[in-house]
Amino acid sequence: MNLWKDFNQGIIRENPVLRLMIGLCPVLAVSNNAINALGMSIAVAFVLIGSNFVVALIRKMTPDEIRIPIFIIIISTFVTICDYVMQAYSPALYQALGVFVPLIVVNCIILGRAEAFAYKNPVLNSVLDGVGMSLGFMLALVSIGVIREVLGAGSVFGFPLFDERIAATIMILPPGAFITIGVLMALVNRMENKVL
Amino acid sequence: MGRIIKLGLTLAIFCVISAGMLAYVFIMTVPRIEANAKASFEGSLREVLPGAESFKNVVAPGTKSEIYEGYAGGQAVGLAVKVSPRGYSGEIVMLVGVDPEFRVKGMKILNQRETPGLGTNVEKPKFQKQFIGKGIKDAIEPKKDIDAITGATISSRAVCDGVKTVLRDSDQYRKVKP
């Protein structure tokens, strides 16, 4: 069994953001501080693990022609549940993430893993793949969030580190997202190529 | 033909199960969502008008703002007015409290989508405390009477406009009040 491989490939080797480069839209948009990044990662993890589980569970009875609509129904059900639960139990985070919670439906990491992995693999492997991919997504998103928040606002997870007047505001604006993500991609590529 | 019906039925079954789950989650969370929204708005009302114990939604003909009159021990202690001036990217929804002399007592930004790091500084106490004590006769011009936020002139101007609207509308309320 390749359970361990299914679990850890998403973390660095096939990291969805930094290696596969999918799901970049929410990454760019909500990574301007560490708390938003963490909240978004948790929401994506819930949806990804849930949808991988259900897709793997029903893959034998899913007719091939309509698998994509069925995936979308499953994913949007999980996203809507996540949306309501977040609104009820964490209204501040819900307000900060705004439109990006409903947009998890069209996040290609989730549909991509359903189609490329969960539809072809047993339940346990698919759940592990979901957990691994979620951890990879969280690792990338929270790193970007921390870097941008420290450099751009002089704080981390909301705790002030130094006077924010000397912080580079550009880092919490959209260009900061592109700069950070580019630098991290380069680092991960270098690290991976050395290992190979 | 038979194949199409089978596929259609399969999709329908998935939709029904999904709808059932969503209905359940909706029923479980909606009371809490509504309670949250109410509690958070009432908390904001108390924040901008400290000392008030209860609030009543009142109407002043000729104004578009939402006006709430605050009471403490049966006495009116001022107004809290919600306005939404146009900022740099969308409306800045803000709540301003005015005391019985119709001077600004406190303010809070409820919702905004300004540029992070620049326009979002309108939420800072340093900027907002400049408005405290301003009345209908005071000039509230950004860069003259109010220090605007560097790099966020439009957002600063929007907040000034919001405060002006609040003072005008509470003055209107004073005139029509029985």
Side-chain angles (χ1 to χ4, degrees), chain B residues 26-98:
Chain B
F26 182 77
I27 292 167
M28 295 305 286
T29 52
V30 154
R32 220 189 141 93
I33 293 172
E34 281 170 0
N36 278 347
K38 199 163 165 254
S40 120
F41 188 64
E42 273 179 9
S44 308
L45 285 174
R46 289 205 169 81
E47 232 176 277
V48 298
L49 203 60
E53 284 153 9
S54 61
F55 290 89
K56 200 178 85 191
N57 196 345
V58 293
V59 195
T63 70
K64 285 183 194 144
S65 318
E66 267 177 55
I67 304 180
Y68 298 84
E69 180 140 41
Y71 296 92
Q75 284 289 93
V77 291
L79 301 174
V81 187
K82 186 175 148 193
V83 285
S84 312
R86 199 169 174 73
Y88 186 66
S89 38
E91 288 179 341
I92 300 181
V93 183
M94 53 191 265
L95 197 61
V96 180
V98 293

Side-chain angles (χ1 to χ4, degrees), chain A residues 58 65 77 88-89 164 173, chain B residues 3 14 18 32 36 116 124:
Chain A
I58 57 150
E65 302 96 314
T77 306
Y89 293 95
E164 67 172 323
L173 297 178
Chain B
R3 181 79 183 148
F14 273 100
S18 155
R32 220 189 141 93
N36 278 347
K124 293 269 159 78

Side-chain angles (χ1 to χ4, degrees), chain A:
Chain A
M1 291 293 263
N2 278 330
L3 287 178
W4 172 248
K5 187 178 149 280
D6 289 338
F7 168 70
N8 79 359
Q9 68 175 2
I11 299 178
I12 295 281
R13 200 155 38 81
E14 279 188 30
N15 187 299
V17 177
L18 300 174
R19 294 286 285 178
L20 306 182
M21 289 190 237
I22 52 177
L24 290 182
C25 169
V27 171
L28 295 170
V30 303
S31 63
N32 58 0
N33 73 52
I35 293 174
N36 288 358
L38 189 64
M40 186 70 188
S41 313
I42 293 169
V44 168
F46 170 77
V47 176
L48 181 56
I49 296 168
S51 82
N52 263 12
F53 172 74
V54 176
V55 168
L57 198 66
I58 57 150
R59 75 197 159 100
K60 295 260 165 59
M61 49 176 142
T62 310
D64 212 36
E65 302 96 314
I66 52 167
R67 65 180 194 285
I68 300 289
I70 287 178
F71 294 165
I72 295 289
I73 294 171
I74 294 169
I75 294 169
S76 52
T77 306
F78 276 107
V79 171
T80 313
I81 291 174
C82 183
D83 192 72
Y84 278 121
V85 171
M86 201 182 247
Q87 217 174 332
Y89 293 95
S90 183
L93 186 64
Y94 180 79
Q95 217 187 6
L97 297 180
V99 72
F100 290 97
V101 175
L103 279 181
I104 297 174
V105 174
V106 290
N107 189 317
C108 29
I109 297 173
I110 291 156
L111 188 59
R113 291 328 284 175
E115 168 77 7
F117 196 92
Y119 192 57
K120 298 171 189 141
N121 287 283
V123 172
L124 186 58
N125 299 57
S126 303
V127 170
L128 286 176
D129 176 74
V131 176
M133 282 289 160
S134 307
L135 282 177
F137 184 71
M138 185 181 287
L139 186 70
L141 190 51
V142 174
S143 317
I144 298 168
V146 168
I147 294 172
R148 290 181 66 192
E149 193 184 343
V150 169
L151 297 179
S155 61
V156 63
F157 288 101
F159 297 108
L161 294 179
F162 51 85
D163 191 337
E164 67 172 323
R165 275 172 298 182
I166 59 171
T169 305
I170 189 173
M171 291 306 287
I172 55 171
L173 297 178
F178 288 104
I179 296 169
T180 316
I181 208 167
V183 170
L184 283 185
M185 268 174 196
L187 282 178
V188 170
N189 277 345
R190 188 183 154 86
M191 215 165 78
E192 278 299 300
N193 293 341
K194 255 188 189 165
V195 173
L196 293 170

